[in-house]
């Protein structure tokens, strides 16, 4: 099966900023992304959990597969959103099927 | 005085307050008792829908009297101006930075719908009627305080972001839309509509409120456990002084407008209560440098339980004494 | 005519319809109001259980009359054949591909339980009784249309996959199992069973339906916003013409079988309504090439609100006029 | 005898049992019917809160009689000792390893709150009153059996881990805290508190129980399908013999203490029922080597349906015969 | 701690196809997989969210750790299921503890 | 955009052990972690799903980004918790923004 080199970018970011982040991704030209729930976690700003929350609290995990050449532009766009906020960004090398999609 | 105490005592042993206390204790004792996020959100949707609907029905039944518009305007002005008072008090009583102080101020200018609901339930229990449109006043008071806080920061040269789309987002916030929408549905369908669904929105209301307050207690307790050392004694003092001061302002405004005793109590409660759902989310977008632990601890950990237990009966006693009602 | 209009007007200002409208408006205005998936699923389980149970109790009370079997058979045949009508209309009125047209046709041969529930609630409000087993007819009509759609595609040489296990999956679909299961529980436990749990499944039913329709409005509105330009005017025309045509067929069948006025209205509603829960999921498996935006927009975005607001009162008025009831 | 059968028959056609059966059948037939996790957890919170609250109100109404302390102490002792009986029976009847046998034993020393609730509901249906504090006895019996199981393993030289924090975790388990907390809230607020929220915790209780048992049936059925070949015939025999034996012990203890007929039945049910919520989670921490498929199949797949269908009416008949009530 | 080379395959696929995909994985000989929820996302077929959905709507994220030598057979099996459907597949190099499990 | 080498450790573990695992992570000196829900899965101990579960059943996915030099100590700490339990551990090479956070 033919696979193609890609980058897998995962961003854990505060839920109230989700729309701003995905808007920034779209502007940066990504062809798609997925938003995964996060139940809880811990970091420099303390521990948290989604349990019982009523508002738009907690974090979400936004996953974005892209062509390697788009990475730099994408990270800039992401950083503009997460800069002042709570959140972590990681990038891994990946391979994808159906390269024409990315 | 002894009357106030007995009132407060009666208030304290209601299932609602005790459920909150249970949640608080469970969280502080590190029990793993939790309510799923979806269930908590479901209950909050239920409560907003029910309270909005009943407010609308009340308006449709008693008609729109001239104080309605006055009340809405007063609510708007209060929500815009109370943050300034809060900001002043915070600068005087605490060492919080401009940004943290402004963020806290936004919470106290806005309202806590659950505190409002608990007050309504206390009034109902005492057969004291109130203006149905107070729920619309509550909706009107949700968002403006956030703008005031941003203005306070901007004035101090801080980096508040008046992000494009933020105002739109604030006004179309889910809770406001649901509350106002249900209000209109209630106003349009009136007593007939209420009869249709009262077995859902009236009869089980208090019971749902118990479970919701259990959840609030769990969240508040978890927050308090996390935030050891985050807030100073001065800040805690603020979180009690501010609702008392705001309630007095609400009392004055309520009397000026000519609200009933019940309406005055609700106006006091709206002024005295602090948001801990809508405003925190807005602050993460608009003032990300402000520390969430500070404003959540004060509004949910101190002011909310204070109002729930002592505040509401106190405001009621004061309103009754002053109006002779 | 003016009677129909006043009927439709009365229908439009019910809390149920207004809740749907609130959801629709909130979604179109891009409010962030949402109902958690788990809560929405919980409400749908509640509604299916309640409606099935009450249908079963009604059958246990009034006994099985001879039209029961006729109704079930008629439902089966209608669900198998209505897609053929829909397919023909679609080919005439729109430029949809064979596969898209077949997928849409599957939705219109199947039923929308929520529309059925709303119609029941309108009948109840007007004290018009109906056959309890109509809920079993609804269950019977859920799946066959899907097979017809696959046959339509196969006939045109298209690549419909009659996947192994698909029929089994369709018949054991969660909503069918719950609806039929609850029907049998109601039929077995009868009035005594109903007395046991009526405070749960009867009294708060309409209120839950309001919140559920709020959610449906939110989903429909979000879908409409997404699907700008996806459906042609001809397709929208189909989504209104098809329920009207199907309702007339339902009217004829209902009269032929000898249903009561209430039963006839429900049969019309079953024919006129289009699935937007079970069939879309089946289509993703069986006809993945079909565009979901098309069938969801038509069934949930156009036909559902049409039936809810104008369709039901219209079908009722027609049924009453024709039967002289 | 025929009386017992007719009692069992009447029990079997209740909506509660039939809902369980529906879930079981749906899961065994591989229907995709499921109840969202959050909804299931929400229902369990509702049931624990309601049953605890009502127990507390009953105590506040009838006062604390001298058997209260005796019952609590008896519950404690039974929960500590029943696992030893279970362990002995398991070693005699099955080829389970020490660790698996101990893990199963822990489940049978603890209790199933849902079985308790179902029994209460049967008693209510027959107008048989029972001691309100039996719900506190249920809470007391949740955890001790786990310690006994660990002791049984340690005695056999096995590697049971008395982890730091485990006891604390067991005692502050969410269900125990909620049940006991609601009990105290009920005891403090009494009849007045009940009047406030009975439309929420009393009226719809049985209906919620139906949906909850539907879910239990789904889980039990899925478990049974998974566990083909996991449990021997001897083990299944144990899962029926053990509740019968325990119920007899509960009968003796209940009579010795001087409980009412209703109280005796509940004591029998507490002894006879096996945990399948709290204990399995504790076992994964404390005895990870034990096979979850074994203990879940026995407690939820065999003993739970046995008690629900045949056990409860049998225990009731025995208690009535023996006490002449 | 001894680690072993493995491949981490993640498939975002429509929820109605979940069972078909996991059946295919099992047939292809994988020893295990995990299914993670996805809250929403965007791609060529538009934007979607799980909010308020009643049916089996939306996507799930199926994660599968396998021995590298199994990758090719697995991708073929996966592709047979996702071919006509909405969904993305990514592969990353990973290391696992307890190799005997994969 | 400047990125830094890191390791991404993902642990699928039984929910009742979540707190013990995160305590072990914290003791091993990680600066943060995120807990993601898992809906269901399959492995040597059979198939499972979260659907309808009332207790603390099922698994969670704990994700932890760390500096590469911490990996060995971390894996030891993780292994002490998962050793006797059901669960899988995977490690992937990653890159992160804002290295000072890890
Ligand atoms: N090293 C990490 N690995 C994985 N997730 C992390 C890490 N650090 C932080 N997070 C997640 O990001 C959230 C915010 O982190 P922080 O900004 O450090 O408070 C935490 O609550 C975690 O959910
Ligand atoms: N580049 C991507 N990165 C991450 N997830 C994606 C990507 N493209 C698509 N998806 C996910 O897969 C779903 C279907 O994609 P598509 O088939 O392109 O519509 C989307 O809604 C996303 O949840
Ligand atoms: N190869 C794998 N890839 C992804 N997840 C796995 C794998 N093996 C096991 N799991 C997950 O870990 C759980 C326990 O695995 P096991 O200990 O093998 O029963 C499974 O139910 C899956 O959720
Ligand atoms: Na305020
Ligand atoms: Na139809
Ligand atoms: Na027991």
């Amino acid at each position: 099966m033919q696979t193609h080199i890609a980058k897998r970018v995962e961003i854990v970011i505060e839920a109230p900023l989700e729309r701003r982040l995905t808007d920034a991704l779209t502007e940066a030209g990504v062809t798609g992304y997925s938003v995964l729930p996060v139940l809880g976690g811990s970091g420099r700003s303390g521990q948290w959990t989604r349990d019982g929350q009523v508002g738009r609290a907690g974090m979400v995990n936004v996953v974005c597969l892209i062509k390697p050449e788009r990475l730099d532009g994408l990270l800039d766009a992401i950083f503009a959103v997460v800069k002042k906020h709570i959140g972590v960004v990681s990038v891994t090398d990946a391979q994808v099927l159906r390269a024409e999609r990315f | 005085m002894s009357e106030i105490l007995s009132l407060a005592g009666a208030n304290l042993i209601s299932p609602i307050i005790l459920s909150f206390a249970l949640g608080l204790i469970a969280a502080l004792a590190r029990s793993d008792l939790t309510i799923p996020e979806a269930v908590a959100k479901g209950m909050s949707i239920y409560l907003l829908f029910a309270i909005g609907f009943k407010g609308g029905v009340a308006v449709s039944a008693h008609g729109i009297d001239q104080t309605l518009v006055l009340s809405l305007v007063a609510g708007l002005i209060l929500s815009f101006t109370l943050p300034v008072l809060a900001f002043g008090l915070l600068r005087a009583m605490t060492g919080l930075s401009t940004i943290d102080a402004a963020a806290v101020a936004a919470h106290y200018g806005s309202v806590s719908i659950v505190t409002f609901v608990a007050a309504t339930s206390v009034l109902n229990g005492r057969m004291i009627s109130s203006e149905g449109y107070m729920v619309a006043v509550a909706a009107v008071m949700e968002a403006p305080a956030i703008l005031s806080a941003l203005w306070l920061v901007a004035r101090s040269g801080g980096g508040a972001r008046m992000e494009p789309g933020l105002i739109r987002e604030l006004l179309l916030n889910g809770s406001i839309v649901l509350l106002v929408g249900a209000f209109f549905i209630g106003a349009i369908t009136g007593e007939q509509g209420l009869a249709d669904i009262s077995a859902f929105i009236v009869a089980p209301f208090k019971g749902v409120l118990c479970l919701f307050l259990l959840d609030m207690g769990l969240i508040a307790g978890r927050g308090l456990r996390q935030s050891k050392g985050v807030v100073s004694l001065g800040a805690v003092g603020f979180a009690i002084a501010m609702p008392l001061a705001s309630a007095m302002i609400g009392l004055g405004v309520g009397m000026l407008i000519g609200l009933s005793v019940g309406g005055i109590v609700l106006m006091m409660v709206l002024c005295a209560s602090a948001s801990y759902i809508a405003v925190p989310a807005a602050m993460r977008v608009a003032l990300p440098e402000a520390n969430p632990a500070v404003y959540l601890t004060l509004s949910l950990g101190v002011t909310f339980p204070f109002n729930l237990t002592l505040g509401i009966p106190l405001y009621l006693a004061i309103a009754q004494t002053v109006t002779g009602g």
Side-chain angles (χ1 to χ4, degrees), chain A, chain B:
Chain A
M1 188 101 271
Q2 172 75 28
T3 59
H4 309 267
I5 291 179
K7 295 281 179 181
R8 182 179 178 96
V9 184
E10 306 209 15
I11 309 129
V12 174
I13 195 174
E14 297 178 85
L17 290 159
E18 178 188 325
R19 220 210 30 175
R20 279 167 179 80
L21 177 64
T22 55
D23 284 356
L25 296 180
T26 307
E27 257 171 56
V30 312
T31 55
Y33 56 83
S34 299
V35 183
L36 275 70
V38 185
L39 291 181
S42 175
R44 297 180 319 152
S45 48
Q47 222 180 326
W48 63 275
T49 159
R50 234 170 223 281
D51 285 329
Q53 293 294 343
V54 171
R56 192 180 281 267
M59 326 277 292
V60 291
N61 185 29
V62 178
V63 179
C64 190
L65 291 160
I66 47 158
K67 287 217 176 80
E69 55 265 34
R70 283 176 177 283
L71 182 62
D72 249 6
L74 186 64
L75 289 184
D76 286 337
I78 292 170
F79 194 65
V81 178
V82 295
K83 199 172 33 189
K84 293 188 174 176
H85 292 93
I86 298 175
V88 294
V89 183
S90 79
V91 184
T92 40
D93 291 325
Q95 305 208 267
V96 292
L97 299 184
R98 306 196 272 195
E100 69 283 5
R101 301 205 160 197
F102 299 93
Chain B
M1 189 63 208
S2 77
E3 203 188 326
I4 298 184
L5 284 179
S6 90
L7 203 71
N11 183 48
L12 285 178
I13 63 162
S14 78
I16 291 171
I17 305 292
L18 291 173
S19 296
F20 179 79
L22 173 57
L24 204 66
I25 294 168
L28 291 175
R30 287 167 197 253
S31 163
D32 68 350
L33 178 61
T34 52
I35 292 185
E37 186 193 8
V39 174
K41 286 191 169 152
M43 291 194 293
S44 103
I45 289 166
Y46 168 85
L47 294 174
L48 289 168
F49 183 80
I51 194 90
F53 195 98
K54 286 183 277 188
V57 172
V59 166
S60 91
H62 300 109
I64 300 179
D65 55 26
Q66 60 155 331
T67 53
L68 169 67
V69 178
L70 283 177
S71 299
L72 290 175
V73 172
L76 262 181
I77 296 175
L78 284 166
S79 181
F80 271 117
T81 51
L82 285 175
V84 180
L85 168 64
F87 190 75
L89 276 178
L90 282 162
R91 301 299 282 198
M93 298 175 73
T94 73
L96 290 180
S97 70
T98 305
I99 287 191
D100 278 337
V104 172
H107 290 72
Y108 284 82
S110 182
V111 300
S112 150
I113 295 290
V114 182
T115 312
F116 178 81
V117 166
T120 318
S121 156
V122 167
L123 292 179
N124 286 349
R126 288 187 177 45
M127 310 288 174
I128 302 172
S129 69
S130 59
E131 286 78 3
Y133 51 71
M134 287 311 290
V135 69
V137 178
V140 149
M141 290 179 75
E142 282 238 351
I146 297 167
L147 301 179
S148 294
L150 298 189
W151 173 79
L152 284 168
V153 172
R155 213 200 40 156
S156 322
R161 297 199 251 170
M162 215 28 249
E163 282 227 21
L166 184 61
I167 292 197
R168 203 168 173 293
E169 225 174 283
L170 292 178
L171 293 179
L172 289 175
N173 177 283
S175 5
I176 296 184
V177 168
L178 185 52
L179 198 60
V180 173
F183 181 84
F184 278 112
I185 298 178
I188 295 170
T189 61
E191 295 290 348
Q192 175 57 43
L194 185 63
D196 271 10
I197 62 171
S198 75
F200 178 63
I201 65 168
V202 177
F205 187 82
K206 253 194 179 164
V208 177
L209 190 56
C210 284
L211 284 190
F212 191 75
L213 281 170
L214 173 68
D215 184 48
M216 289 292 113
L218 287 167
I219 298 179
R222 247 162 28 208
L224 287 176
R225 236 177 52 207
Q226 284 282 319
S227 64
K228 269 176 211 141
V230 165
V231 298
S232 63
L233 221 76
V236 173
F238 164 81
I240 293 183
M242 181 68 198
L244 291 174
S246 310
M248 290 310 115
I249 295 175
L251 172 71
V253 170
M255 292 181 69
L256 217 74
I257 297 176
L259 291 172
S260 68
V261 183
I264 290 174
V265 171
L266 292 182
M267 183 62 95
M268 293 172 81
V269 166
L270 287 176
C271 290
S273 70
S275 166
Y276 46 83
I277 297 177
V279 177
M283 286 299 114
R284 293 312 300 147
V285 172
L287 288 180
E289 300 87 353
N291 184 353
V294 173
Y295 49 70
L296 282 175
T297 304
L298 295 184
S299 88
L300 184 57
V302 183
T303 301
F304 180 65
F306 170 74
N307 277 329
L308 207 60
T309 53
L310 303 179
I312 294 173
L314 184 66
Y315 308 149
L316 172 55
I318 293 175
Q320 286 182 319
T321 309
V322 171
T323 63

